[in-house]
Amino acid sequence: MSLFGLGARQPTSAEKISAVENELKVIAEMHTRMIKICSTKCLDKTYREGELSKGEAVCLDRCSAKFFEAHQKISDQLQQQQQQQQGGGGRF
Amino acid sequence: MDAGLTNAEQRELENRLQKRQVKEFMNLFSGLVDNCFVSCVDDFTSKALSGRENGCLSRCVLKSMTTQTRLGERFAELNQAMTAEQQGKQ
């Protein structure tokens, strides 16, 4: 668990719970964003069919994989740049 | 993810997560209404939904839920892989 910034003292109960909750919140938000973006990029918006076509399904799989890869790449690059500027940094 | 919570803290966390899930569901629902309405309804010569619009809405809901499920699975896989990789780097 990342209790970034809380320093050497023991975190309170509330802080520990909030930290986990926030970590999950970040992940949940990423989930929601990914769905919204990949739906926009991959789905036929005229909804002629109620079922996912093979093309749409494959597109969704690839879109989610690329989304994660882009997230990773951007996180790494940002971290690198911050380290160059300040000699510090954190994980996104 | 973490090993430092007491039972009481764990319960509190689960409580909050449950509330968050309810909120997420409400957001999902309203998002679905907005998205499907925008995509499907554009004929205002009548105040009742046409047969075409009704059909479109049904298909939109169906497709959206299928997409949610599929992307949920992909997300879990990808997130697990990413977490494993991050831990490997540390």
Side-chain angles (χ1 to χ4, degrees), chain A residues 39-57:
Chain A
S39 295
T40 304
K41 285 188 175 286
C42 291
L43 300 187
D44 162 31
K45 290 297 181 173
T46 64
Y47 296 104
R48 278 166 298 195
E49 298 270 325
E51 316 219 326
L52 280 177
S53 73
K54 189 82 167 85
E56 285 173 329

Side-chain angles (χ1 to χ4, degrees), chain A residues 23-81:
Chain A
E23 227 177 299
L24 293 172
K25 183 180 166 191
V26 165
I27 293 172
E29 280 172 359
M30 187 179 172
H31 177 124
T32 306
R33 278 160 42 221
M34 185 191 84
I35 291 177
K36 195 167 280 187
I37 289 169
C38 290
S39 295
T40 304
K41 285 188 175 286
C42 291
L43 300 187
D44 162 31
K45 290 297 181 173
T46 64
Y47 296 104
R48 278 166 298 195
E49 298 270 325
E51 316 219 326
L52 280 177
S53 73
K54 189 82 167 85
E56 285 173 329
V58 167
C59 178
L60 289 172
D61 291 348
R62 291 174 180 166
C63 178
S64 50
K66 285 199 167 189
F67 186 84
F68 264 79
E69 203 181 325
H71 170 106
Q72 202 60 42
K73 178 182 166 59
I74 292 168
S75 172
D76 290 345
Q77 188 168 339
L78 210 54
Q79 199 179 4
Q80 231 175 29
Q81 286 180 294

Side-chain angles (χ1 to χ4, degrees), chain A residues 1-3 6 14-24:
Chain A
M1 173 164 64
S2 47
L3 292 176
L6 290 182
E15 282 168 346
K16 280 200 287 184
I17 296 172
S18 287
V20 177
E21 198 188 358
N22 282 333
E23 227 177 299
L24 293 172

